[in-house]
Amino acid sequence: MAALVQRAPFRSDWAYAEDIPGTRCGPDDGPWPRSYQVLNEGEVWKEMRMLAKPQSVALGKGRADSVNFQPSLSTRTQDRYVVKKLRVGTRDWSLTGVFDGHLGDVTVEHVAYHLPIIVAEFLQDAYKADPTRLDDPVFISDLFSRSIVAFDDAIAGDVLDLFGGIEGLAGYSDADIRRVINDHHQGGANFRKARLNMYGTTALVALVDPDHGNLWVANLGDCQATLVTASPTDPGAWDIKILTTEHNGYNDAEIERVRQQHPNEPECVIDNRVLGALAPFRCLGDTPFKQPPEFTRRILYNLSPGFPDTSPWEEFLVRNRTPPYISTEPEIVHTQLGVGSPPERSRFLILASDGFVDLCSNEGQEKIVRDWARDMQNMTADEETHPGSGNMALRLLRRALGGEDRFKVSKVLTLNMDVAWIDDTAIVVQTL
């Protein structure tokens, strides 16, 4: 557990709320200033390695580097990432993704582990039926979407099947339901199935074909995918293209979509939140927003352990009239990469949870990404001096925290605060 890690003593200095990047810290989180530990260059990289646990995986013609970062030692991150090879027929596809869990980490852990398996099964089934279909980008876009929807449908479906569907609940007393779902003495399989429905997660998943000719990005929620490509004509210049849109209350199109699906329900969106409660408008899990209220009241309320206090849930369940309110249909973006691109033309895919976007809010994400891309040429030399600094995702995280200004970075890494002072941040950087 991260909370058990103890930092060695370093020289202390003082930080104010405005010194911390992002929007999590504010004047009300005082008293300010707060102390932090001033780290030298080697200590900065060591601390970042300890906190973000960088990983690197070879993927076909390239690789994917990843981090999952939360500097507060008392806070367990609810972000997850995945980097996988998917064996389809005799060739490997690559799947990478980031997931931002909410309310708890049970569902996000399940999604990060099982979703790649389901996508691989859909691809393998299509390959067995007709291998040529995998050469059709439109078919793959549809398959990618269907696999994610089917995966999410099973989260509630596996529980409802125990009772003959939502209609079948009427034939069970609460005591009957408790006996079925609280099966700890029999291994707890039903309990684990039901518990997945209590939580939710956003999902940003990228799929690349074996020839690296095509990229598909599936998005549910407010994580972000960015394609960074070196200019073919201007050395040192980079094209930065954001591939995704946010599925939350800051996106007017998402609000309008939900309102159109639920006419005559003015409380389907309140204060830019679904039913006045949930920020993402598309995500996995979050079954209370997708099933009738009796699912939550009859099943989830009877879980043990379950909800210690049901009153916050009742506040939005009374508005739940015509579910679902949260969409499970991902937005799919297909990008043709082009087989045989010049190897000297570097190209990176950045998948990041909204914590990274928040960290970039002061300087601007495009500037931070551009600076990072230009600095990639120094990566090998830095790695020789500071182990871990050659990880692309860790370098991007460092740039967002303050770059070469080790005092800025130290403030974020070691701020003396009892609760999390930045949002959880997961980043995957894949070479294409």
Side-chain angles (χ1 to χ4, degrees):
M1 293 289 291
L4 300 180
V5 177
Q6 298 295 319
R7 293 188 172 104
F10 298 106
R11 179 170 70 85
S12 294
D13 210 328
W14 299 94
Y16 291 85
E18 57 267 27
D19 296 330
I20 308 301
T23 58
R24 177 66 70 92
C25 252
D28 294 337
D29 297 310
W32 297 99
R34 290 181 177 272
S35 64
Y36 73 95
Q37 298 167 356
V38 180
L39 309 178
N40 63 37
E41 188 66 12
E43 293 162 347
V44 164
W45 285 112
K46 182 179 179 180
E47 190 80 358
M48 289 188 64
R49 291 198 308 272
M50 183 272 289
L51 292 168
K53 297 176 175 58
Q55 300 290 323
S56 185
V57 176
L59 288 178
K61 300 177 181 178
R63 80 176 205 255
D65 292 353
S66 47
V67 294
N68 192 1
F69 177 68
Q70 172 51 253
S72 172
L73 297 180
S74 62
T75 304
R76 180 180 173 89
T77 177
Q78 294 183 15
D79 280 7
R80 296 291 186 274
Y81 66 79
V82 63
V83 176
K84 293 287 186 181
K85 294 179 183 178
L86 307 182
R87 192 68 169 177
V88 181
T90 60
R91 310 187 71 193
D92 288 332
W93 296 57
S94 71
L95 183 144
T96 53
V98 295
F99 311 93
D100 184 355
H102 43 263
L103 302 179
D105 60 5
V106 172
T107 303
V108 70
E109 190 80 28
H110 171 80
V111 171
Y113 180 82
H114 288 281
L115 182 59
I117 297 173
I118 300 303
V119 174
E121 288 178 353
F122 270 68
L123 285 169
Q124 185 64 22
D125 288 346
Y127 173 82
K128 290 179 178 177
D130 182 0
T132 64
R133 298 299 302 275
L134 300 190
D135 297 327
D136 180 0
V138 175
F139 175 78
I140 297 298
S141 293
D142 179 66
L143 178 148
F144 202 10
S145 179
R146 286 188 289 108
S147 67
I148 293 172
V149 171
F151 172 81
D152 188 75
D153 287 346
I155 292 178
D158 286 349
V159 179
L160 288 173
D161 286 346
L162 300 173
F163 305 101
I166 193 72
E167 300 83 3
L169 287 173
Y172 290 80
S173 68
D174 283 348
D176 292 334
I177 292 174
R178 284 193 290 269
R179 280 192 292 269
V180 171
I181 62 177
N182 297 313
D183 60 339
H184 310 281
H185 60 293
Q186 296 178 322
N190 293 344
F191 173 79
R192 289 190 294 272
K193 290 177 182 178
R195 187 177 56 168
L196 290 174
N197 294 272
M198 296 173 62
Y199 315 101
T201 180
T202 65
L204 176 63
V205 189
L207 188 65
V208 178
D209 63 12
D211 293 321
H212 279 221
N214 294 276
L215 163 69
W216 295 265
V217 174
N219 183 40
L220 287 155
D222 51 12
C223 296
Q224 191 174 90
T226 306
L227 191 61
V228 184
T229 308
S231 170
T233 58
D234 184 3
W238 295 84
D239 175 62
I240 298 172
K241 182 180 180 182
I242 296 176
L243 302 178
T244 50
T245 58
E246 295 180 331
H247 302 141
N248 57 28
Y250 295 105
N251 185 339
D252 291 340
E254 285 295 291
I255 293 178
E256 182 60 24
R257 176 181 61 79
V258 174
R259 292 199 183 282
Q260 287 183 357
Q261 291 173 354
H262 304 278
N264 304 317
E265 293 186 50
E267 293 185 321
C268 64
V269 178
I270 302 175
D271 295 331
N272 291 339
R273 289 176 174 264
V274 180
L275 300 181
L278 196 64
F281 282 54
R282 305 191 197 195
C283 50
L284 303 177
D286 291 312
T287 302
F289 297 85
K290 297 174 180 176
Q291 291 287 336
E294 54 262 40
F295 183 100
T296 303
R297 291 172 176 151
R298 300 297 316 283
I299 297 176
L300 301 187
Y301 283 7
N302 280 311
L303 272 176
S304 180
F307 297 118
D309 179 11
T310 61
S311 57
W313 299 84
E314 285 300 320
E315 289 183 11
F316 72 83
L317 284 179
V318 296
R319 305 180 183 121
N320 182 338
R321 295 165 48 191
T322 57
Y325 293 87
I326 300 291
S327 175
T328 62
E329 183 177 350
E331 188 171 18
I332 306 289
V333 176
H334 168 251
T335 302
Q336 189 169 13
L337 300 176
V339 179
S341 297
E344 66 272 11
R345 188 183 180 193
S346 300
R347 182 165 47 201
F348 307 96
L349 174 67
I350 300 171
L351 305 179
S353 64
D354 65 340
F356 172 72
V357 178
D358 192 48
L359 286 175
C360 297
S361 59
N362 293 350
E363 292 190 70
Q365 185 175 345
E366 183 172 336
K367 181 182 187 306
I368 286 174
V369 172
R370 199 177 300 279
D371 288 348
W372 164 81
R374 289 170 178 164
D375 184 54
M376 292 297 283
Q377 61 185 351
N378 301 318
M379 186 168 60
T380 302
D382 289 347
E383 175 69 25
E384 294 175 357
T385 307
H386 303 296
S389 61
N391 183 285
M392 298 179 292
L394 195 66
R395 292 181 75 89
L396 180 57
L397 175 63
R398 164 124 193 209
R399 178 60 191 86
L401 298 182
E404 296 181 1
D405 189 332
R406 62 182 176 87
F407 289 90
K408 284 185 177 180
V409 178
S410 295
K411 291 171 187 177
V412 181
L413 294 179
T414 66
L415 188 69
N416 182 16
M417 196 166 176
D418 294 332
V419 296
W421 52 92
I422 68 166
D423 195 6
D424 300 337
T425 302
I427 304 171
V428 176
V429 180
Q430 182 177 1
T431 57
L432 297 173

